[in-house]
Amino acid sequence: MRITPRAKRFRRYLTAPVVLLALTGTSASIATADSAQARTGALPTATHPKQTEAQVIIRVTAGSLDPVIARVRELNGTITRRLPIITGFAAAVPLSAVALLRADARVLAITPDAAGRVQTVNPALGYDQADTGSLDQITALVGARSMWSAGWTGKGVDVAMIDTGVSKVTGLNSGNVVNGPDLSTDQASVELRYRDGYGHGTHMASIIAGRDAASSPAGYAATGTSSYAGVAPDARVISLKVGATDGSADVSQVIAAIDWVTQHAHSDGLNIRVLNLSYGSPSTQDYTLDPLTYAVEAAWRQGIVVVVAAGNDGTNKVDLANPAQDPTVMAVGAEDPNGTLTTTDDTIPAFSNRGTMKRHVDIVAPGTHVLGLAVPGSVVHLANPAARVGTRFLRGSGTSQATAVTSGVVALLLQARPVLTPDQVKWALSDSATALPKGTSTNRGAGLINAAAALKAAGKATLPSQASLVNKAEYGTGTGSLELARGGSHLTTGKTTINDKTTVAPTTEQRLTGERDIFGTTWSSTTWAPAALAGTTWNGGSWRGNVWTGTGFNAQGDWAAVPWTAPSWAGASWYGRSWVGRTWVSGAWVGSAWVNSSWSGRTWVSASWSGGTWN
């Protein structure tokens, strides 16, 4: 996940303390002008015989702002103002220079800098609902609104989300979020338990199933509504927190959470049909051996559609993140709508892992500048003031967001066709995806997800059977190394290490490494793997013999907590310990840090968290 503010493409913006105000031309929308003219070469043209220059807005590729500005000046153009929020600038350029600039590979679009008027921003939401990063537009783009109109809103389908927890902010407090067990290192603290002190999980949950209030399918589908709604607003999110307030999580915690979902999918009134995993490790271990990939395979084979982020390493790392590299599950990449609801101009952002011909993304979904709910005072919220929109929302980009969109679509599909197997769901989504002409087979997969088209595909009389859809690639054994599954990222008491580099001064405390799980218990793949597939790794509140949680939901609707009873890593007790100086003060998180990761302007540059990668 990258946190990035973004103005709606092809429109001018003014910034204000609370909202962004979009401007449109007095005679026509600049968005229309761009799509119809900037790409065809028809604009700008002289509207007066003596007109020799055009007032334009030029949007450029990331990292090329200054070079393109220099090029404009070489062509005798004048820069009138920089517009960093859209990675561009306004300029007066000679008409003769327009074609040259349009031919420059660094230039994404040239649009008229027309006089404008303030476009209405919905005061109840604090943003323009026509913004293509809004869920209003994303749900239209992926066919979710058509599903709502047909009566499918995800009702009755539970989506398990393994992440950093969910804070029940407005939009996630209307009864469709349930806390499963907190398996993070925050678990022993009443103040930290279940809550999303980091801000990632809440953002994902809001995309999957956020809603300001429960409504009818027609109510969700109505245009112009002032209420926020995610892709599957009546689905229920079962939140399993593994990432602590600083984002840290060990791969063994993620595996334990997947095991819990597999084993409890239909316990205590649950109906978990989807697992959202916006997580990945940089493991180079073959997927047939890796314990993490085996855990998601076990869930898949028990009837749960596992939706996994491809990763945000972009061109620096071709392979998909782990466990997206497993061909069994649904690996999701990100796509950029580029400001329109047509797909002819859609592109695949550079950060989205493209994979290889052997294993690439299965499908893509909108994953750029997505407006999701924020947790005021969380680490992400405090670190990115420029990404905030209004008082409730935050822009984020990444395969995390694309994965959340896809999980919501799967929930809609499974409400409409509950008998579908995971393999059939994957086939229907892939078979019906919208082709993207600007993508490649490795970075776009089958194309852009489309819920309504997938429903039609799933209704075919010739829908392939489960037997015909079993992956030709062999299922794994899970008997590989837990340490290799970490990919070089380790948790410590008192310090954090990423890729084996200590980021805080060494102390006498311990680092979790080798074939040991979060409790310091020796990892035995040959014992764990068959139990994971059979759904027997948990016994009440114990996982692999260590007491971790209660055995059911409490009166508040949360899975009952049982403080860890002095688990240790070679003598370093976890119970009662604090992590990296995080503190709750006057309703806000302070002193927390994502160690050794950088925030650059409006972009979350590094996607790597201390326990792996939250994508």
Side-chain angles (χ1 to χ4, degrees), residues 63-328:
S64 62
L65 189 60
D66 288 334
V68 175
I69 285 176
R71 175 60 174 157
V72 168
R73 288 173 175 154
E74 288 176 3
L75 295 171
N76 297 316
T78 302
I79 310 304
T80 55
R81 65 192 182 283
R82 291 188 178 227
L83 301 170
I85 197 168
I86 62 168
T87 317
F89 56 92
V93 299
L95 289 176
S96 59
V98 172
L100 294 174
L101 289 170
R102 187 174 284 127
D104 192 319
R106 299 167 298 183
V107 174
L108 294 176
I110 302 178
T111 60
D113 187 7
R117 58 180 171 78
V118 174
Q119 187 180 53
T120 301
V121 171
N122 190 319
L125 295 172
Y127 65 82
D128 177 9
Q129 287 174 277
D131 186 328
T132 50
S134 74
L135 265 294
D136 300 81
Q137 297 298 300
I138 287 173
T139 50
L141 187 65
V142 300
R145 302 189 84 83
S146 296
M147 295 286 280
W148 301 347
S149 296
W152 311 116
T153 58
K155 190 171 185 177
V157 178
D158 289 340
V159 180
M161 188 188 74
I162 298 172
D163 215 286
T164 61
V166 177
S167 288
K168 294 183 180 180
V169 297
T170 300
L172 289 169
N173 61 352
S174 63
N176 63 340
V177 176
V178 172
N179 285 319
D182 186 329
L183 306 180
S184 73
T185 53
D186 288 339
Q187 187 262 8
S189 168
V190 174
E191 285 187 337
L192 306 180
R193 188 182 304 145
Y194 306 126
R195 296 175 182 171
D196 183 14
Y198 202 88
H200 186 274
T202 300
H203 198 77
M204 299 303 107
S206 70
I207 296 168
I208 297 169
R211 65 183 188 193
D212 282 347
S215 183
S216 65
Y220 294 127
T223 58
T225 177
S226 60
S227 296
Y228 175 85
V231 177
D234 285 336
R236 187 168 59 169
V237 172
I238 311 301
S239 172
L240 283 91
K241 178 179 175 180
V242 295
T245 302
D246 60 357
S248 56
D250 183 62
V251 70
S252 65
Q253 292 167 279
V254 178
I255 291 172
I258 298 169
D259 284 351
W260 188 94
V261 170
T262 302
Q263 190 165 335
H264 294 84
H266 302 288
S267 303
D268 298 285
L270 299 177
N271 183 35
I272 297 175
R273 298 295 310 279
V274 189
L275 171 57
N276 185 91
L277 192 58
S278 296
Y279 170 91
S281 77
S283 171
T284 56
Q285 189 170 209
D286 190 273
Y287 84 89
T288 60
L289 298 174
D290 195 277
L292 180 58
T293 59
Y294 188 81
V296 295
E297 280 186 8
W300 188 274
R301 293 165 73 177
Q302 293 299 323
I304 300 169
V305 180
V306 184
V307 186
V308 185
N312 296 334
D313 295 311
T315 57
N316 293 327
K317 185 176 185 293
V318 174
D319 293 335
L320 301 184
N322 182 43
Q325 62 184 270
D326 190 314
T328 304

Side-chain angles (χ1 to χ4, degrees), residues 8 18 29 77 109 168 202 216 222 243 356 375 388 392 414 424 437 469 475 481 500 536 544 609:
K8 184 170 46 178
V18 178
S29 164
K168 294 183 180 180
T202 300
S216 65
T356 65
V375 181
R388 303 172 197 165
R392 299 177 55 196
L414 285 173
Q424 289 172 337
L469 283 170
Y475 285 127
S481 165
D500 292 318
T536 58
R544 301 181 64 247
W609 287 10

Side-chain angles (χ1 to χ4, degrees), residues 331-477:
V332 182
E335 67 94 42
D336 188 347
N338 279 318
T340 70
L341 292 182
T342 63
T343 57
T344 55
D345 62 346
D346 291 11
T347 56
I348 307 301
F351 62 75
S352 183
N353 282 19
R354 59 184 184 271
T356 65
M357 289 303 296
K358 181 179 179 180
R359 174 56 176 156
H360 51 71
V361 298
D362 294 302
I363 53 171
V364 293
T368 55
H369 317 289
V370 178
L371 275 165
L373 295 175
V375 181
S378 65
V379 174
V380 171
H381 191 258
L382 291 176
N384 291 272
R388 303 172 197 165
V389 177
T391 57
R392 299 177 55 196
F393 299 94
L394 194 74
R395 290 191 185 275
S397 296
T399 55
S400 277
Q401 281 80 1
T403 299
V405 170
T406 302
S407 290
V409 166
V410 173
L412 298 177
L413 185 59
L414 285 173
Q415 182 197 4
R417 298 286 187 272
V419 298
L420 293 177
T421 66
D423 282 341
Q424 289 172 337
V425 168
K426 184 174 180 179
W427 176 85
L429 291 172
S430 299
D431 183 71
S432 62
T434 304
L436 299 179
K438 293 196 173 184
T440 67
S441 59
T442 55
N443 68 14
R444 73 183 175 210
L448 176 64
I449 193 170
N450 187 310
L455 178 60
K456 186 178 294 186
K460 291 180 179 178
T462 56
L463 183 67
S465 66
Q466 169 76 13
S468 67
L469 283 170
V470 173
N471 278 281
K472 296 185 183 301
E474 61 180 313
Y475 285 127
T477 63

Side-chain angles (χ1 to χ4, degrees), residues 24 133 348 460 568 584:
T24 59
I348 307 301
K460 291 180 179 178
S568 62
W584 181 265

